[in-house]
Amino acid sequence: MKFSWKTLLLWTLPALVIGFFLWQTAFPSLPTDMSRNTASTRMSYGRFLEYLDAKRVSSVDLYEGGRTAIVEAIDPELDNQLQRWRVDLPIEAPELIAKLRSANISFDTHPTRNDGAIWSLVGNLLFPILLIGGLFFLFRRSNNVPGGPGQAMNFGKSKARFQMEAKTGVMFDDVAGVEEAKEELEEVVTFLKKPDRFTAVGARIPKGVLLVGPPGTGKTLLAKAIAGEAGVPFFSISGSEFVEMFVGVGASRVRDLFKKAKENAPCIIFIDEIDAVGRQRGAGIGGGNDEREQTLNQLLTEMDGFEGNTGIIIIAATNRPDVLDSALLRPGRFDRQVTVDTPDIKGRLAILEVHARNKKLGADISLDAIARRTPGFTGADLANLLNEAAILTARRRKDAITMLEVDDAVDRVVAGMEGTPLVDSKSKRLIAYHEIGHAIIGTVVKAHDPVQKVTLVPRGQARGLTWFMPSEDQGLISRSQILARIMGALGGRAAEEVVFGDAEVTTGAGNDLQQVTGMARQMVTRFGMSTLGPMSLEAQQSEIFLGRDYTARSEYSEEIASRIDGQVRAIVDHCYLEARRIIRENRTVIDRLVDLLIEKETIDGEEFRQIVAEYTFVPEKEQYVPQL
């Protein structure tokens, strides 16, 4: 535990005050002459009068206003030696002075000093002063602690982090894979640095830019790059920091934030995860969240209300634009909506080049091959991929990252950690036939993505895996490609049934069947790829937004629903029959591939295709193309 001088004083001074009060209680007043106001024994007042009458008293000193006396007298019990006694005198004893004078006994009166009253006054004042000082010290110290007691009067203050010139360490050169979004935001920086170029032709500086995209695509990174490039004051805050349990605090923080921004204009305000405060108003069942709606109303007013905000550019980021209030998205508040989507193959290659700058790569590393193997990866995924590869390299005590570490890192990121290898058994052979069933259909069917790797090494919940690598980024997918993917997903179950019989099929195809049913249903209800015709019968699946989607009803009748189910079944049945036929016709090569897979546990795509070509000659234009 760490102590400081302030802490030591804070605990020592109250202890001294308490000790002083205890001392005052025990000794309320002190005489002037401590040496004389002492006596070894006490004497009663009656005995003192007897000694006085017997003329044994030689001197008397009166203290404390006549309430105490120190008496010097001859003690007959001690051979007439002179002794000193302390006598407590009664309050009313006026005859005592007369007796002392009549007996010619010397006596003296010692007045009481007022030290006790002074010390009592000082003590009474000192304790409250120390108490108030200690509380002030604690209160001042808690101001520096987020959420401490000292923050009680600062609820309405903005929690935005402010930097006069944000040195984030990120520039536009450090952002790759989102070139379109970067061009839009570079223009915003130019607005801030050289506004005359645009105002000369009548252009107006945009008030707000909304960054929209899936998690991990680089929205916050772009905001850091803007802060690093612009060289203007930069405020950054999260949407959740506006809302508190106390009503009106969020709106007060919005006002305080924009007040500070106006004082430092031109500047940038970055609001991360704005959907925490910008959700649609009145969308909840039984009414909305009043506090959040008040905060949103204040934000709308500050962005474009009766009083304009000159020179303040607001940049916000969210991955849920569908729940934002329409008033927040209109021009004048957010003039631009920049989509930061998952990168294509060129974008992934550029991102890999950025993240590989501080990595030691081996001679066999091909960033282009890694970019081709990682479709759908975001910038955060690619950064994590190279970091996992570097960790594996250090764990294996290698000097540089090789393609082996990258391949293992991809498998780990996508499928999970590597498990214990399977022992040779009936279960291992069944899993091998299941995975070869997926791979053989992916190789024989023309429209399917080529096989990249087949492995029996368990990862995550999967006991075996078959990887497919698309030849290009597919923004559009044809009907034949969807049918080929359905057939490929059913290849494992078909292989189990053909080889081991219907009674030996396993639960290993559970996840495959879920994917098959989903793809077939989307063909019928969303893409119009069935005999029902080109109709969209269902919207894209999304989570229910209470109050807006809760009361949504089906847009088709029960008869159409029955026909949809029939079409889905027809597609799945047709593809399953085709998959079983392909398995039966290629049984010889499947048996050889299973034996090889059990021996090696992993077969890469090129070797797999070479073995299939030795047993099956299928001209490219005559490969199986499923027809429905």
Side-chain angles (χ1 to χ4, degrees), residues 197-210:
R197 180 189 302 177
F198 300 93
T199 56
V201 295
R204 180 177 56 86
I205 298 177
K207 293 184 177 180
V209 178
L210 181 65

Side-chain angles (χ1 to χ4, degrees), residues 368-568:
D368 184 71
I370 301 174
R372 290 183 180 278
R373 190 184 169 184
T374 53
F377 274 47
T378 63
D381 294 331
L382 294 171
N384 184 45
L385 171 64
L386 289 183
N387 185 60
E388 287 290 342
I391 292 174
L392 288 174
T393 302
R395 185 180 301 166
R396 295 170 182 175
R397 300 183 183 278
K398 293 185 178 180
D399 296 331
I401 302 173
T402 64
M403 283 301 294
L404 178 61
E405 281 72 42
V406 174
D407 291 340
D408 291 342
V410 172
D411 295 347
R412 177 167 183 168
V413 169
V414 175
M417 294 181 62
E418 181 177 331
T420 305
L422 301 172
V423 297
D424 292 336
S425 63
K426 179 182 176 181
S427 177
K428 183 175 183 180
R429 182 165 291 272
L430 192 146
I431 294 172
Y433 272 105
H434 183 101
E435 299 303 330
I436 293 297
H438 289 307
I440 197 70
I441 293 179
T443 303
V444 173
V445 178
K446 177 182 178 181
H448 203 287
D449 297 329
V451 176
Q452 180 186 358
K453 182 173 65 173
V454 185
T455 180
L456 289 180
V457 177
R459 285 191 177 273
Q461 299 297 322
R463 291 289 173 252
L465 292 168
T466 302
W467 302 91
F468 298 97
M469 182 174 62
S471 56
E472 60 183 8
D473 289 316
Q474 298 173 339
L476 298 176
I477 304 175
S478 66
R479 181 172 176 270
S480 62
Q481 288 176 318
I482 299 177
L483 290 173
R485 291 181 181 181
I486 293 175
M487 291 175 58
L490 292 171
R493 169 59 66 86
E496 291 180 12
E497 183 176 345
V498 170
V499 176
F500 297 96
D502 184 65
E504 295 296 325
V505 294
T506 66
T507 59
N511 188 41
D512 299 333
L513 298 180
Q514 291 181 5
Q515 297 179 13
V516 164
T517 306
M519 288 188 287
R521 189 169 189 85
Q522 288 186 18
M523 287 180 65
V524 178
T525 60
R526 291 185 57 203
F527 306 138
M529 297 178 179
S530 69
T531 58
L532 292 179
M535 293 188 299
S536 178
L537 300 173
E538 291 180 358
Q540 184 174 0
Q541 294 294 327
S542 61
E543 295 180 3
I544 293 177
F545 189 51
L546 294 181
R548 185 187 68 188
D549 302 330
Y550 188 73
T551 58
R553 298 180 178 179
S554 176
E555 300 177 356
Y556 47 82
S557 64
E558 293 182 3
E559 179 184 356
I560 296 296
S562 178
R563 293 181 61 185
I564 290 173
D565 293 339
Q567 286 293 302
V568 172

Side-chain angles (χ1 to χ4, degrees), residues 166 168 170-174 185-186 189 192-193 222-232 268:
T168 60
V170 180
M171 309 297 281
F172 278 131
D173 292 339
D174 301 319
L185 297 175
E186 284 177 342
V189 174
L192 291 169
K193 288 185 174 180
L222 282 169
K224 291 182 179 180
I226 294 173
E229 292 276 359
V232 297
I268 294 175

Side-chain angles (χ1 to χ4, degrees), residues 138-202:
L138 292 175
F139 185 81
R140 182 178 179 183
R141 184 179 181 182
S142 64
N143 281 333
N144 300 324
V145 180
Q151 299 291 330
M153 304 304 295
N154 294 328
F155 276 127
K157 300 297 183 181
S158 172
K159 293 185 177 181
R161 276 73 64 191
F162 171 68
Q163 293 176 298
M164 198 63 191
E165 289 187 9
K167 297 179 181 179
T168 60
V170 180
M171 309 297 281
F172 278 131
D173 292 339
D174 301 319
V175 182
V178 283
E179 298 304 321
E180 297 81 3
K182 191 163 69 171
E183 289 178 4
E184 291 276 353
L185 297 175
E186 284 177 342
E187 196 171 78
V188 172
V189 174
T190 307
F191 268 120
L192 291 169
K193 288 185 174 180
K194 301 176 182 178
D196 297 339
R197 180 189 302 177
F198 300 93
T199 56
V201 295

